Amino acid sequence: MSRTSPNIIITGTPGVGKTSHCELLAERTGLAHLSVNDVVKERECHEGWDDEYQSWIVDEDKLLDAIEPQLKPGGCILDWHACDLFPESWIDLVVVLRVETRVLYDRLTARNYPEKKLQENIDSEIMQVLLDEARESYDEQIVVELQSGTTEELEANVERIEAWVRQWREDRAKEE
Ligand code: ADP
């Protein structure tokens, strides 16, 4: 698949700051922010609602079919709490956001998460589940772990990813 702009995944446990990073990055780079949660909901890529977890039961095949046309030419920032389902050939960079347990606890409490979901997400962050998933699913050279505890870190992360996008575009232009 030849792309004129890169596709980036911003992933991590719910509450780490994916949406905040994606929105700022989209504004600064012109890449499109694709909230996978919204796609699942709006394009009905699910098999119903899980009441206990307060989330959709995702139909992964349907989801991939729904986003493929947008991913194909490149230029997308995928925002989701999972990353292993996206084909490696679609993706140029995987950013895994991380945060301290104490900070994550406060952020998820503010969202009124059900107790079970809150505890599972805290455990998932402690066990670095998303980082392992990213490292197992993609070439380690394209996986980056970044801290997202403070607004200074958010700003620095976005600047760093922006610089990476600029470089990617320059390298691609030289090849043509
Ligand atoms: P996610 O999309 O991963 O669930 P959000 O971007 O919605 O996370 O962020 C969850 C909450 O944490 C929001 O209130 C957001 O403003 C805050 N937040 C996220 N990242 C940071 C950060 N690096 N510094 C300070 N607050 C942050």
Side-chain angles (χ1 to χ4, degrees):
M1 199 190 302
S2 113
R3 291 185 278 277
T4 49
S5 262
N7 287 324
I8 301 173
I9 298 175
I10 308 276
T11 191
T13 312
V16 286
K18 297 182 292 296
T19 305
S20 316
H21 278 73
C22 289
E23 283 175 353
L24 200 54
L25 198 58
E27 199 181 291
R28 303 235 183 118
T29 58
L31 299 180
H33 172 196
L34 206 64
S35 161
V36 174
N37 270 337
D38 291 350
V39 175
V40 167
K41 195 163 61 181
E42 285 158 17
R43 303 193 53 188
E44 297 188 354
C45 308
H46 58 75
E47 294 157 352
W49 177 255
D50 184 324
D51 239 359
E52 188 182 4
Y53 286 94
Q54 297 285 300
S55 64
W56 296 105
I57 303 159
V58 177
D59 179 334
E60 294 189 355
D61 289 336
K62 215 166 168 185
L63 170 63
L64 291 179
D65 286 346
I67 62 172
E68 186 174 8
Q70 236 178 311
L71 273 278
K72 219 164 185 166
C76 289
I77 312 169
L78 284 166
D79 169 356
W80 212 31
H81 58 264
C83 65
D84 60 352
L85 73 161
F86 307 113
E88 251 192 295
S89 62
W90 291 9
I91 305 300
D92 300 290
L93 179 70
V94 183
V95 176
V96 184
L97 298 175
R98 303 297 310 278
V99 80
E100 277 175 42
T101 314
R102 179 182 48 84
V103 176
L104 187 63
Y105 185 88
D106 289 346
R107 288 184 193 168
L108 294 182
T109 305
R111 272 185 184 174
N112 294 319
Y113 263 33
E115 183 58 32
K116 188 168 175 184
K117 188 168 169 180
L118 184 131
Q119 199 51 55
E120 285 199 0
N121 281 307
I122 299 284
D123 290 348
S124 165
E125 185 57 22
I126 293 169
M127 304 290 286
Q128 62 172 56
V129 170
L130 260 303
L131 184 62
D132 289 347
E133 181 178 315
R135 286 178 174 159
E136 281 161 21
S137 310
Y138 300 93
D139 188 313
E140 66 180 61
Q141 294 197 351
I142 72 160
V143 177
V144 187
E145 177 187 13
L146 297 174
Q147 290 300 319
S148 172
T150 64
T151 48
E152 288 75 20
E153 283 171 341
L154 166 67
E155 182 61 37
N157 294 343
V158 170
E159 276 177 23
R160 191 170 156 188
I161 305 165
E162 241 187 297
W164 179 91
V165 172
R166 263 198 309 275
Q167 190 63 50
W168 191 97
R169 285 172 167 157
E170 278 175 29
D171 292 347
R172 209 43 55 116
K174 272 186 223 146
E175 283 171 18
E176 277 166 11

